[in-house]
């Protein structure tokens, strides 16, 4: 078993009221079960097929977070059970989530992804796109947009990372005052294994940590 139980317990204490999403992508069910038995309930996955397979056999009270780039044609596979979709990067995707959620009579919680990093490989909206998506979301009763998600630049420059997190928190607070969010604006998902401490200092309510808990990853075929 690759789970670092001591590290897990230490991080839980460090986080306080911040939600820990244990990023379990590519990790075996046994490792997820081990953290589950320690009380962990929030797990994050990046690949649709892997998430579907794990959800089918692992405990049903796990709260599954989809944290990868989600294609519209794959929403239907996770709509019956997903707890929170972190990376909604277009209004079109939000519309598809609503459509699939309605088929299961569910309301799916979503976070809008903001592009705060320098790397072009990271997805996300700008402020104008956020405003348009939030305005449109008011007409989609089967989705609940409850905050933002962002990924900082992959760099050793701590000041740069802090500034990107601060920018996202400022935007989060600004949008929280818009009438369109209706008091449901509660989640700011930012911070991963390498920068979660900075993210918490800058106001994160939810961090996504994988390698510190599960060790280094291997990358199998992604499937659907």
């Amino acid at each position: 078993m690759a789970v670092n139980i001591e590290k897990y317990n230490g991080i839980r204490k460090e986080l306080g009221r911040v939600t820990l999403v244990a990023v379990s992508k590519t990790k075996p069910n046994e490792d997820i079960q081990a953290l589950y038995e320690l009380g962990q309930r929030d797990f994050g996955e990046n690949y649709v097929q892997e998430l579907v397979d794990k959800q089918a056999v692992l405990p049903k009270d796990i709260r599954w977070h989809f944290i990868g780039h989600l294609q519209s044609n794959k929403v239907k596979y996770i709509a019956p059970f997903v707890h929170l979709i972190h990376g909604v990067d277009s209004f079109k995707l939000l519309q598809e989530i609503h459509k699939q959620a309605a088929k299961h009579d569910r309301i799916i919680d979503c976070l809008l992804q903001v592009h705060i990093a320098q790397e072009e490989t990271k997805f996300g909206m700008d402020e104008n796109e956020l405003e348009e998506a939030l305005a449109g979301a008011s007409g989609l009763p089967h989705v609940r947009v409850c905050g933002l998600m962002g990924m900082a630049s992959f760099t050793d420059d701590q000041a740069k990372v802090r500034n990107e997190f601060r920018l996202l928190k400022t935007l989060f607070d600004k949008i929280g005052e818009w009438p369109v969010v209706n008091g449901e604006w509660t989640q700011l998902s930012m911070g991963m294994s390498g920068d979660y401490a900075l993210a918490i200092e800058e106001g994160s309510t939810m961090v996504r940590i994988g390698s510190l808990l599960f060790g280094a990853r291997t990358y199998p075929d992604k499937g659907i």
Side-chain angles (χ1 to χ4, degrees), residues 6-16 18-21 23 150-153 155 158 161-162 165 188-213:
E6 183 178 353
K7 191 70 175 177
Y8 171 75
N9 288 331
I11 289 173
R12 282 288 297 266
K13 290 178 182 178
E14 187 179 355
L15 293 184
V18 174
T19 299
L20 169 61
V21 179
V23 180
M151 291 183 286
S153 296
T155 176
Q158 298 287 286
V161 171
R162 184 182 293 278
F165 286 149
L188 180 56
S189 174
M190 62 182 190
M192 298 186 290
S193 288
D195 54 25
Y196 74 89
L198 284 178
I200 293 170
E201 289 176 9
E202 295 302 327
S204 176
T205 68
M206 184 177 291
V207 296
R208 311 176 302 275
I209 298 178
S211 58
L212 290 179
L213 304 176

Side-chain angles (χ1 to χ4, degrees), residues 9-80:
N9 288 331
I11 289 173
R12 282 288 297 266
K13 290 178 182 178
E14 187 179 355
L15 293 184
R17 299 181 69 177
V18 174
T19 299
L20 169 61
V21 179
V23 180
S24 49
K25 62 180 181 179
T26 79
K27 293 305 176 182
N29 294 344
E30 294 76 17
D31 287 0
I32 298 172
Q33 185 70 37
L35 281 189
Y36 176 88
E37 290 171 4
L38 294 174
Q40 181 66 25
R41 292 296 181 270
D42 294 277
F43 291 88
E45 293 284 335
N46 284 49
Y47 307 136
V48 169
Q49 183 63 63
E50 186 178 354
L51 173 53
V52 170
D53 291 346
K54 287 176 176 177
Q55 189 273 339
V57 298
L58 285 161
K60 297 308 177 188
D61 60 336
I62 286 179
R63 295 183 289 268
W64 292 106
H65 298 242
F66 192 82
I67 61 175
H69 177 60
L70 181 59
Q71 295 174 299
S72 293
N73 64 349
K74 296 179 181 176
V75 173
K76 61 186 177 184
Y77 297 109
I78 63 174

